[in-house]
Amino acid sequence: MKRQKRDRLERAQAKGFQAGVNGRSSETCPYQATDARSQWLGGWRDGRDTKASSMK
């Protein structure tokens, strides 16, 4: 059970990262659950940072 839950949150983070790199808005987060949403938004922020640093 714990492994499945962790994998789900890791996937949410990875999807958020891809959304951030692709320039999507944070408002497009598909998750409603607090844990998954916070993971997605964390990934989104990381993706935006990566995109910004690659443009310098």
Side-chain angles (χ1 to χ4, degrees):
M1 181 68 164
K2 288 184 182 182
R3 180 174 174 83
Q4 181 181 8
K5 191 177 283 188
R6 185 175 62 239
D7 289 343
R8 197 174 326 145
L9 296 178
E10 288 174 7
R11 189 173 11 191
Q13 197 273 342
K15 295 288 187 183
F17 181 84
Q18 285 301 317
V21 168
N22 292 331
R24 289 180 35 207
S25 169
S26 65
E27 298 296 318
T28 62
C29 178
Y31 296 96
Q32 299 301 318
T34 305
D35 290 344
R37 185 171 182 82
S38 66
Q39 287 291 333
W40 190 92
L41 289 170
W44 180 84
R45 282 190 293 274
D46 291 344
R48 296 294 282 200
D49 291 344
T50 299
K51 182 178 179 181
S53 66
S54 69
M55 292 184 151
K56 290 182 181 178

